[in-house]
Every structure is written in C-alpha cells, then in structure tokens.
Amino acid sequence: MRINQKKWLGLLGGLLSLAPSVVQAHVGSNAMTGWCNGFNHPLHGWDHLLAMLAVGAWAAQLGGRAVWQLPFAFVGMMSLGGLAGMMGLSVPGVEMMILLSVLVFGFLIVRGIRFQATVSIFIVVFFAFFHGYAHGQEMPASASLLSFALGFMLATLLLHGAGILAARLVLLALACFLGNSAYAEPSGNLATGKTNSPVPDGEIVELSEVIVTQRADSLVGLADSASQGNVGQEQLKYRPIGRPGEILETVPGLIASQHSGEGKANQYYLRGFNLDHGTDFLTQIDGVPVNQVSNAHGQGWTDTNFLIPELIKTLSFQKGNYYAENGDFSSTGAANIRYVDDLPDHIVKFTGGSFDYYRGLVAGSRKLGDSNLLYAGEVVNNGGPWVVSNDYLKFNGVLRYSEERADAGWSVTAMAYKADWLSTDQIPKRAVEAGLIDRFGAVDPTDGGSSQRYSLTAEWHRQNEAGASQLMMYGLYTQMALYSNFTYFLTDPVRGDQFAQPDQRWISGLKANHTFFHQLGAADSETTLGLQIRNDNIRNGLLLTQAQVRYDTVREDDVWVTSVSPYAENKTRWNDWLRTIVGVRFDGFRFNVANSNVPENNGNTTDGLVSPKLGIVLGPWADTELYLNGGLGFHSNDARGVNTRVDPATGKSVDADGNPIKPAVPLARTYGAEMGLRTTWLRGLQSTLALWWLDIDSELLFIGDAGTTEASRPSRRYGVEWANYYSPSDWLTFDADFSFSKSRFRGDAQEGNHIPGSVETVIASGATFHDLYGGFFGGPRLRYFGPRSLIEDNNVRSDPTIMLSAMLGYVFNKKWTVQAEVFNLLNRKDSAIDYYYASRLPGEDPVGIDDIHFHPIEPINFRISLQAAF
C-alpha cells in the first residue's frame, strides 16, 4: 500500500494550523546571557516554535533543494530582522505577523501548495524578518549582540531540522505500519528455544547460550516472566537524559524524581510505591549492590549519581520478587547495570547548557597484550534555575582492566566519585502563592550536602560444556553528609529545624554461583547454586544544626549489618511448550548497634527468612508465551530501628500517645504474584502485558529524619503494565509503556486507607532514530506521571506531571559529533514531587499549617554537546 504524501503532510500541517490558540507571549530571561539566552529564546513561545517546525515540514513537502534553501533563507533574513529589533527600529504589527505566519504555513502544508522556488523563498523570508525582529527586540542588555544572534539562529536551524525529520518520520512510520513490504526483521539474537530430542544416556547436554543485550532482542523462549527485559547502549545514547538517575526510567513504569539538590539520591516510584530513595527496588552496577542498609537518611538509599551513561553496555531489569538471585530490597524489582570492557574509540566530549550546566568527559580503552584497559573521567557543574544555585560540582572516574577468552574472563574495576552541592528542598505552596518566595526559591538557603564513593571490584567467570561459574568480590567506602529542613520553624522557632545526617561506611561483599547443565529425564535442565555475603560497617547520626553548624545531637551510632544468603534455582524445559523455574533463597541477617548516645538502644538482633520462588512458562505459540510467577520476598529495616527501645529525641520509652516504643521488625515479608504475556507475533513489534499483585506485612519503619520508628499497616498493591517496542526498520524505533496501579492499606481505619504518595499512572513513550540522512540521530520523549493521593483519606491529591524532551544530533564523520537536547519542551510548571504535611513559616501559628510542599520541575532548558573520537 502506498502512502499519499500530501495527505499525511497535510494532516501534520492541519495540526499546526490549529496551534495559534496556544500562542504564548514572548518573555525575556535574565537567567542567562549571550548565546545561551539566544538559543533558549525561540523555545519559549509556541508561535515561534510552531512556525519553525512548519517551515521545516513545508520544506520537506516541497522536496529537492527546498529542503535546505528554505531553512537557510529563513535564518538569513531573521538575522536582519534581529538586527532591526536590537537597534530599536519601530515595526508595527509584529505579533500579528508572527501569528499569521503559523496560519499561512499551516494552510500551505494542508493544501499541499507548491510555488516556484523564488516565490517559496519570498514567503519564508517575509515572515522570517518579523520573527527575527521579536528576538532582537527582547535581547537582554547584558548579552552580546553577536552571541545572542548566533544562539537564536542555531536554535532556529535545529527546529527547522526537527520539522523536516518529523515530516519524513511520520510518512515512513505510517508506511512501515501499513505496508507489509516495509517490515524488517528485528535485529539481535532471536530465541527459538531448543527442541526436545532424544539424548543418549550419560551424555552431558549444554543448553544453548543466547546473549541478550538490547530491548530490541526477543526474549521469547528466554525470559522467566513478562516483566523482565534489557536496555542497551543503542537505546540510551539516542534519548535525552537530564541526570544519571533517569537511566533507571528505561525500566517500564519507573519514575526517578528529585525533591532536593542534584547530588542527592533520586526519589523513585514503581508499581504503586513511593520507593523513597530506593527501599524496594534493588539497583546494582556490574552485580555490586548500590542500595545502602541503615543509611542515615533512608533505608535502601540508592545514589546513582556516579553512573556514566556512555559506559553502559546494558541495563537488565526484573520486576517482582520471583527471582532467586535477588534478595534484599527487590520486592518491586531489580536492575543490573553493566559497563563495557572496551570502547571502539577514545572520546572527548564537552556539554554546555542552561543554568550554568557544564560537563566534560574523557573516555577510551586500549589493548595491553591480551587484556583491555578502560578509562573514563568526568567533571560536572550544574547551577540549576534555583534562586540559591545548586552549585553542584562532581568529579567521577572509572578504571577497568579486563581480559576475555573463549571460555573464561576476568576484570578488576576501580571507581571514584566525589560531589558537593547546595539544595533547594521542597517548599510550601502557600509561601509561593502569597509571594513570600519565588517558585524556585528556598525557605532555608543553607541546605545542602556532599557525597563520596570509592570502590574496587574483582570478577572472574568461566563456562564450558558442563556448566558456568562466576565469582565476584567487592569493597566500597562511602561518605555522605546531608543538611535538610523540611518543617522550617515548627520545632525550633528561633534556630529553625535544620538537621544533619552524616553517614560513613565500609562495605564488603562476595557473590559466587555455579550452574550445572544437565538433564531431568529427557528434558534439558540447568541448576544454579549461589552464595551472597555482605557486610556494612557504618558510623551515622542525626544532628541538629543551624546553617550547617551543629548545636545538638539526637543520636549517633556505630552500626554493623551482616547478611549471608545461599540460594538455589532450577530451570527446566520439559517439552516444546512448557518451562518451569523453581527457586528458594535463605537470607540471614545480624543487626548490631553499639556506642549509641542512648545506651538503651544498643543491641544485637538476628533474623532470617526462607523465600521460595516459582515460575511457569507456556508456549511459544504464534511467537507468544504465557507466564505465571509467584514468590515471597522481603526488605530489611534499619538496624537502629530494629534495636530502638527509647525515643532518642525525648529520652522516653513511650511515644507522644503513651504507647511503648517498639523495635522495628528486622525483615518485613512481601508476597508477590504475576500473570503475563509476551509476544513478537506482529513483525517488528514486541509487546508484554503483566497483571501483578504485591502484599506487605505489617511493619515498623525507621524514620531517619526523626531518629525513631513509625508504625505502618499491612498494605496491598496490584495493577497492570503494558510495554511495547516497535522497530519498523533498523534505524527507527518507537516505544510506549503504560502502568496503572492501585495501592491501599489493608483493613479499615478512621483516617482512610490510601497510601500517601503511591504512584497510580505512569505513561512513557518516545521515538529514536539514527543514521538518517547521512548522520542525524535523536528523538522525542514524553513522560506522564499521574496524580497521587497525598493523604490517607484522599482529600488532597497532587497534580499530574508531564515532561516532553527531545534530542537532535548529527554525526559529521568518524571524528566529530554534535547533539542538542531540550528538556521540558512544553515549559510546564508542574511539580517533580509533592508532599502534604505540617510546617511553620516565621510569624505563623506555632502548631504549624498543613500544606502541600512541592519541588518544581525545571523550566525549559537545553544542552549542546560536541564530541571528538580518535
């Protein structure tokens, strides 16, 4: 089936012609000067934005030389208009002509009208003058004329390019979807499953090894559940990523947000959970756990700011507690991020952008005999849009020495990370509405923090016809200091409520496993035996501070947490349509607290849990498999909460209601199950559907911000996830992931059964392209973070958060690459996160005021990167 170009480009133009209703006023910005301000200006107004895209779309529709003539003619005349605006010349009706340009270009596209080249160029340059005049008229007094002009001209050309590519991509995507001849076989290793054939007695059977590194690779015949997958570097490098934590957003349904400075660990949401800073989602880097037990600020603290996106080979994820190799913190799921052993080139990359964002990266590898030496170092500075600059400064480095042979390999990896920052924590909505502070302002401008992470990891692996073995040992030293003030003057009306949470620890661990390839009767089978050992020696505390100066101590503790976790798992393919996965895991913990400033809270507690796992896979039929999974899991609680008997703030053994202080449950049990489907029946499309359920027993949580424990009722969560990945060709992909969940406390309570902050709806979609028209790459991404209940009775809810971002880059040759990223393209004023609690500002009622406290998303901003490879 052929696609009528005029019809589909006309449809695109029609949409553009409807857009004048959302024309925005032109607003200057004093936040940036020079070319940064000039680049940002065309992105502020919908009239400019739509007109630029429309010029590109019309050029693509006309084809031939018009593809480059119209954009360059527009930019050339716009520069003259900009000069007129900068000189203050009087030109009437500028706004009306800009609005008219959107209507005219939309009409031309809808009607598919073609003129001679000179007429088309005249139309374009006529309107270009008025667009340039508007830009020049609003140039900040502090900006350089030349740099400002270069900035808005570059942004305009990029928007023209986006319009050209959008028009071409719409045509091609529709052609690929409707025309069978346009389909391409998915790239990667296709899993076909091993046929069940007779095997002579005594012969050792080796199961086929299939290495899966990309989301584009089919997992039919390989995956143990519908909510298991992989993301590779090919997906990461073509999508805009604002901060390292957003790498985890490649896990369908996961949100990584922030309520403080950029150096702080992100706030995570998944499967009906506000995971705080990582309590129920296990994150690993090359198998080394990132989550921290008994962290000063929050149990399961997951700081991913040390990640370098360019080094990531794959991110593999498993949602649910159905996998024997995953233990603590993995009830909602787990992700393992693997770094590469070598790079194809040495690279030098520099990125500059809005709000004093700068990043420098040097990375590469070289052969040393039969081994590889990988190196990478980066420096990042980020001010942010905040009234009190983040002043975030990060130094980060990786060094890996490795060797890979036909049947074995090993590696030794060293990492070092250091950062410090100031932070604008969440602010009360009432203060912004009353004009007391700016939306990007702070109540306590002295909040902030610092963090360090140093690690050494050694890994060895081997595989032959009889089995596979892996051994890994790791050691880490981390240090953190956080200064926060969430209630302002509620507790102390004179000095304020700022508190410090220092945390210093040594972590050591071992992971070992061996897999036997064998048979059960006539069925191919593999059995894995594993052992995981981890030890954390911690010194942390909760201190009262004013402007980061300590004046009192709530608690200081020496903490020692040790865990030993053996596990076993069997995977058997019984026939062509039935596979089973059976596993069991034991986790034994020792929690020791000593040298506490409250001696009654010293103690030693041990606990252990057995967690069985089961999975059944049916199929494939018509390239489709069905999955049934279930298992028991847990998360550990803070060792200080496990041994707390006296409130360290009051020195009493009862709380404010007169109830005895109870130690926290050491290991909180979780129960999970899932029914799912995975299909590649439609050529080029991979789709998974999962219905899941998760219960958590009644538990007591340690609240790091208060230094004591807090009761939580039993809870139940369930939902549906639908993930889709479509590759109509080897250079173009689309993805769309939908997650809907419901979270409630079990039982009835007077205050209500909603779980505050629990995520309900997440929608993420986007497109990526590469090697287009000689080297273009990039694509747009949309993220919808739905409204959430902020209080148990559901009377206070957050608004949704919508983020549209995009990347556009070009590979000039093997050496030079340039890319531009724009974040919050819609310039929405949504919240990154919302809370509801009581706080007190100066002069308010001493009991405080219940209010929504929010951290805003950043306004529209951009980054441009230049990379050299050699």
Side-chain angles (χ1 to χ4, degrees):
M1 179 183 296
R2 299 186 62 188
I3 302 297
N4 187 312
Q5 286 195 10
K6 291 185 178 181
K7 177 180 179 181
W8 291 113
L9 283 175
L11 177 60
L12 177 62
L15 294 175
L16 289 174
S17 69
L18 295 176
S21 61
V22 292
V23 169
Q24 297 181 346
H26 306 288
V27 285
S29 172
N30 294 320
M32 300 176 293
T33 57
W35 74 275
C36 293
N37 201 327
F39 187 96
N40 206 25
H41 193 270
L43 308 177
H44 274 175
W46 274 109
D47 42 6
H48 285 312
L49 192 63
L50 291 172
M52 302 308 102
L53 293 172
V55 169
W58 191 39
Q61 187 180 27
L62 295 177
R65 294 182 178 180
V67 172
W68 61 268
Q69 285 179 339
L70 297 192
F72 281 102
F74 190 101
V75 170
M77 181 56 71
M78 188 176 68
S79 65
L80 298 179
L83 181 62
M86 295 171 190
M87 295 172 62
L89 298 179
S90 178
V91 177
V94 172
E95 293 293 334
M96 183 61 66
M97 297 306 298
I98 291 175
L99 177 60
L100 181 62
S101 72
V102 179
L103 293 169
V104 169
F105 289 132
F107 177 78
L108 294 174
I109 295 171
V110 169
R111 301 296 298 176
I113 296 175
R114 293 175 177 270
F115 299 105
Q116 291 183 349
T118 54
V119 176
S120 300
I121 292 174
F122 175 79
I123 294 172
V124 165
V125 298
F126 174 77
F127 289 114
F129 178 85
F130 296 100
H131 283 271
Y133 182 88
H135 293 318
Q137 196 176 38
E138 297 172 12
M139 183 185 76
S142 60
S144 162
L145 186 152
L146 178 61
S147 60
F148 182 81
L150 289 175
F152 71 68
M153 289 167 65
L154 176 60
T156 299
L157 281 174
L158 290 173
L159 288 172
H160 289 331
I164 295 170
L165 290 173
R168 297 284 177 89
L169 289 173
V170 167
L171 284 172
L172 183 59
L174 290 169
C176 291
F177 185 76
L178 297 175
N180 292 333
S181 61
Y183 283 122
E185 292 291 341
S187 61
N189 301 311
L190 296 181
T192 58
K194 190 173 181 179
T195 58
N196 186 26
S197 57
V199 178
D201 293 339
E203 181 178 335
I204 296 175
V205 175
E206 179 185 358
L207 294 182
S208 301
E209 180 190 10
V210 180
I211 300 174
V212 179
T213 61
Q214 304 287 349
R215 189 173 175 180
D217 294 331
S218 172
L219 291 178
V220 173
L222 291 175
D224 298 334
S225 75
S227 52
Q228 176 181 350
N230 298 278
V231 177
Q233 179 61 222
E234 288 298 310
Q235 283 77 52
L236 291 175
K237 69 181 181 181
Y238 299 130
R239 59 190 292 165
I241 296 177
R243 59 171 69 98
E246 292 178 4
I247 291 169
L248 290 175
E249 289 193 353
T250 58
V251 178
L254 189 147
I255 292 291
S257 188
Q258 184 58 278
H259 72 102
S260 190
E262 286 304 308
K264 190 176 182 180
N266 290 131
Q267 194 94 3
Y268 302 100
Y269 295 83
L270 179 68
R271 286 198 164 185
F273 278 83
N274 176 351
L275 297 168
D276 195 38
H277 296 286
T279 304
D280 282 288
F281 187 81
L282 174 64
T283 302
Q284 303 172 95
I285 174 72
D286 287 316
V288 177
V290 180
N291 306 65
Q292 292 187 3
V293 298
S294 304
N295 179 270
H297 186 72
Q299 179 71 342
W301 176 266
T302 304
D303 184 356
T304 57
N305 285 296
F306 66 92
L307 293 176
I308 300 177
E310 289 84 355
L311 297 188
I312 295 176
K313 181 179 181 180
T314 60
L315 182 153
S316 59
F317 60 88
Q318 303 164 310
K319 286 186 281 186
N321 55 1
Y322 329 124
Y323 314 93
E325 69 267 31
N326 299 330
D328 201 6
F329 305 122
S330 65
S331 291
T332 64
N336 185 28
I337 298 168
R338 294 179 56 199
Y339 273 0
V340 297
D341 291 328
D342 56 49
L343 291 170
D345 300 295
H346 301 272
I347 62 172
V348 177
K349 185 176 183 179
F350 176 77
T351 304
S354 306
F355 311 124
D356 295 324
Y357 180 91
Y358 304 102
R359 178 180 184 245
L361 171 69
V362 178
S365 62
R366 62 180 303 163
K367 278 283 189 180
L368 295 177
D370 294 330
S371 305
N372 285 306
L373 179 65
L374 173 75
Y375 67 89
E378 71 168 344
V379 179
V380 177
N381 178 84
N382 191 2
W386 322 108
V387 173
V388 178
S389 172
N390 256 348
D391 203 18
Y392 175 50
L393 183 60
K394 173 174 74 173
F395 299 93
N396 196 15
V398 174
L399 195 64
R400 169 173 288 178
Y401 188 51
S402 64
E403 183 175 315
E404 195 70 36
R405 297 182 181 274
D407 60 349
W410 56 267
S411 65
V412 177
T413 305
M415 299 184 185
Y417 162 82
K418 185 180 186 298
D420 57 77
W421 64 92
L422 295 175
S423 60
T424 298
D425 290 324
Q426 65 259 24
I427 55 177
K429 191 174 182 180
R430 64 185 185 278
V432 177
E433 292 176 344
L436 299 177
I437 59 174
D438 187 82
R439 185 168 178 267
F440 300 104
V443 177
D444 189 338
T446 66
D447 292 348
S450 62
S451 182
Q452 300 178 51
R453 182 187 188 274
Y454 308 95
S455 67
L456 183 65
T457 306
E459 184 268 348
W460 169 86
H461 58 272
R462 182 181 66 184
Q463 179 169 336
N464 55 32
E465 67 279 358
S469 302
Q470 185 176 28
L471 175 65
M472 182 186 68
M473 294 180 289
Y474 59 89
L476 295 88
Y477 171 77
T478 68
Q479 184 175 332
M480 178 195 77
L482 284 179
Y483 297 88
S484 309
N485 187 347
F486 303 138
T487 54
Y488 320 123
F489 294 93
L490 182 63
T491 302
D492 190 328
V494 178
R495 289 175 292 200
D497 299 349
Q498 189 184 80
F499 56 91
Q501 294 169 308
D503 188 285
Q504 178 180 321
R505 68 181 63 213
W506 290 91
I507 306 172
S508 57
L510 175 146
K511 284 186 171 183
N513 63 75
H514 180 74
T515 300
F516 302 90
F517 301 142
H518 60 97
Q519 285 198 294
L520 289 179
D524 296 336
S525 183
E526 60 180 52
T527 299
T528 300
L529 302 178
L531 176 65
Q532 299 170 359
I533 300 174
R534 174 173 171 171
N535 184 77
D536 288 61
N537 288 90
I538 312 160
R539 175 68 177 174
N540 59 22
L542 177 61
L543 317 175
L544 301 182
T545 59
Q546 182 180 12
Q548 298 193 13
V549 177
R550 173 179 177 176
Y551 67 84
D552 201 357
T553 300
V554 177
R555 68 181 302 161
E556 284 186 298
D557 305 274
D558 288 329
V559 180
W560 188 3
V561 180
T562 303
S563 62
V564 178
S565 306
Y567 66 92
E569 185 177 65
N570 174 266
K571 298 181 180 181
T572 301
R573 183 182 296 275
W574 299 99
N575 52 43
D576 290 342
W577 56 269
L578 176 63
R579 290 187 286 131
T580 60
I581 306 98
V582 180
V584 64
R585 178 186 180 94
F586 172 77
D587 290 275
F589 275 76
R590 174 180 178 267
F591 305 91
N592 181 268
V593 177
N595 300 321
S596 173
N597 59 312
V598 181
E600 292 85 351
N601 291 333
N602 290 338
N604 186 75
T605 302
T606 59
D607 197 7
L609 287 175
V610 176
S611 302
K613 322 282 185 177
L614 175 63
I616 301 174
V617 185
L618 304 174
W621 298 292
D623 297 317
T624 301
E625 283 187 330
L626 302 175
Y627 305 88
L628 296 172
N629 301 90
L632 303 184
F634 73 99
H635 73 241
S636 63
N637 272 321
D638 194 295
R640 295 168 295 171
V642 168
N643 290 286
T644 293
R645 298 168 183 82
V646 173
D647 187 331
T650 64
K652 299 179 180 180
S653 58
V654 294
D655 60 22
D657 298 325
N659 299 315
I661 300 292
K662 294 182 180 180
V665 176
L667 305 178
R669 171 65 85 188
T670 62
Y671 311 81
E674 181 178 299
M675 179 173 61
L677 174 148
R678 182 187 304 271
T679 181
T680 58
W681 182 61
L682 292 175
R683 192 173 299 174
L685 173 66
Q686 298 187 49
S687 186
T688 61
L689 181 67
L691 304 175
W692 60 269
W693 158 80
L694 184 66
D695 274 8
I696 297 184
D697 277 347
S698 178
E699 59 189 272
L700 292 175
L701 302 176
F702 182 81
I703 308 301
D705 299 347
T708 185
T709 56
E710 181 178 287
S712 175
R713 290 179 280 155
S715 63
R716 172 166 294 164
R717 293 168 171 86
Y718 54 90
V720 58
E721 293 174 331
W722 184 30
N724 302 275
Y725 190 84
Y726 178 50
S727 301
S729 70
D730 58 359
W731 59 268
L732 176 65
T733 60
F734 299 92
D735 61 89
D737 303 323
F738 306 87
S739 176
F740 308 97
S741 57
K742 184 175 181 179
S743 308
R744 296 291 187 271
F745 287 118
R746 284 183 281 163
D748 292 322
Q750 186 176 0
E751 63 270 25
N753 293 324
H754 287 261
I755 302 176
S758 56
V759 62
E760 298 175 5
T761 304
V762 174
I763 300 174
S765 65
T768 60
F769 57 87
H770 59 90
D771 300 321
L772 182 63
Y773 294 108
F776 283 104
F777 65 88
R781 293 216 61 81
L782 176 68
R783 186 191 79 172
Y784 175 82
F785 182 23
R788 303 162 301 285
S789 172
L790 301 180
I791 191 171
E792 286 86 346
D793 62 10
N794 199 33
N795 284 330
V796 182
R797 293 178 61 83
S798 72
D799 292 325
T801 299
I802 299 175
M803 284 284 290
L804 177 63
S805 301
M807 173 195 287
L808 181 62
Y810 186 76
V811 180
F812 290 97
N813 48 47
K814 292 183 178 180
K815 183 175 182 179
W816 295 103
T817 301
V818 64
Q819 72 180 48
E821 298 169 282
V822 182
F823 303 94
N824 191 13
L825 194 55
L826 302 179
N827 201 25
R828 291 180 61 91
K829 297 181 179 180
D830 297 337
S831 298
I833 196 167
D834 296 278
Y835 303 94
Y836 186 76
Y837 59 85
S839 63
R840 181 175 184 263
L841 298 172
E844 291 183 338
D845 193 307
V847 301
I849 297 177
D850 291 329
D851 195 8
I852 292 178
H853 297 73
F854 73 100
H855 190 70
I857 61 174
E858 295 188 9
I860 184 171
N861 62 97
F862 72 93
R863 295 173 189 173
I864 293 182
S865 300
L866 179 65
Q867 177 178 304
F870 52 92

